[in-house]
Amino acid sequence: MKRDSGLVILGFGGHARSVAAVAIANGVQSLLFVDENARDDDSFLGFAARRELSAGIPAGWSCVPGVGDNTKRKEQVECLQSAGWELAKVISSTATIDANATVSPGSFVGHHAHLGPLARIGLGCIINTGAIVEHESQVGDFSHVSVNSVVAGRSQLGRFVFLGAGATVIDGVSVGDNITIGAGAAVVESLSAPGTYIGCPARRLPAGAHPSSISNAVS
């Protein structure tokens, strides 16, 4: 987003504050949080929070979703689009973004993240601190690539994917829609069935199973 324009962040939790910290580090000087649970005296780094996205915001300001939950982020993006707001994308100045990579509106790219040549990041995504999305990989709309996780070259993540902290998707692998990959897991073959996958190699947890049962999990 432009440094001389204001930014509205929807949310006031941890991810919203990470977005704010990156925006401020990038030189944004006007910022407002909007969260229905905000209190009258809530603020972060000197910027106020309020409960409603209503009149009184100067012309030229843009908005960005500020929640980590993929489904809630989709709802925020759809609400902003239907109201005619400009969707911002917040990209850290410390991230390395190849000139041929694409980041869609409503997305966040954190400090020291890396997007390789022809990487494509969908609408309303999170590429968090230190995450890597390598060459020719695609991340579907409303997905979250967590801190220090790796999407190796020519891989594809579907929509509503959550890749946990430190997880790895190896070269050329596809991960379908609505899949959660646990922290530290290694995806070594393509996954299509929605669900939660943990371990190395990543295996699907049966419905209702606890992660400690990975030894009994089925692929």
Side-chain angles (χ1 to χ4, degrees), residues 3-72:
R3 293 187 178 192
D4 57 354
S5 62
L7 179 67
V8 177
I9 300 174
L10 296 190
F12 194 60
H15 179 61
R17 298 178 189 196
S18 293
V19 174
V22 167
I24 293 165
N26 285 353
V28 172
Q29 297 181 356
S30 300
L31 191 150
L32 173 69
F33 298 93
V34 174
D35 189 307
E36 63 181 5
N37 297 312
R39 300 174 302 184
D40 292 339
D41 59 346
D42 274 340
S43 66
F44 177 66
L45 298 177
F47 296 99
R50 69 188 197 191
R51 295 186 186 89
E52 296 181 355
L53 184 61
S54 56
I57 296 174
W61 282 44
S62 55
C63 287
V64 67
V67 296
D69 180 88
N70 290 339
T71 300
K72 291 181 179 178

Side-chain angles (χ1 to χ4, degrees), residues 37-163:
N37 297 312
R39 300 174 302 184
D40 292 339
D41 59 346
D42 274 340
S43 66
F44 177 66
L45 298 177
F47 296 99
R50 69 188 197 191
R51 295 186 186 89
E52 296 181 355
L53 184 61
S54 56
I57 296 174
W61 282 44
S62 55
C63 287
V64 67
V67 296
D69 180 88
N70 290 339
T71 300
K72 291 181 179 178
R73 202 163 56 257
K74 175 180 180 288
E75 293 171 356
Q76 289 184 337
V77 166
E78 290 178 341
C79 179
L80 292 171
Q81 289 176 324
S82 65
W85 281 92
E86 178 187 352
L87 272 180
K89 48 188 174 185
V90 175
I91 301 173
S92 171
S93 60
T94 67
T96 54
I97 313 295
D98 186 85
N100 295 307
T102 303
V103 180
S104 299
S107 291
F108 169 77
V109 180
H111 291 311
H112 306 293
H114 171 79
L115 304 182
L118 300 178
R120 295 185 178 276
I121 308 303
L123 184 69
C125 288
I126 298 173
I127 310 300
N128 227 324
T129 308
I132 296 172
V133 180
E134 259 302 351
H135 59 89
E136 303 158 87
S137 290
Q138 297 187 26
V139 178
D141 297 343
F142 312 112
S143 289
H144 185 159
V145 180
S146 293
V147 294
N148 295 325
S149 54
V150 176
V151 180
R154 296 180 296 276
S155 296
Q156 294 193 19
L157 304 189
R159 290 163 51 93
F160 303 103
V161 171
F162 181 85
L163 188 62

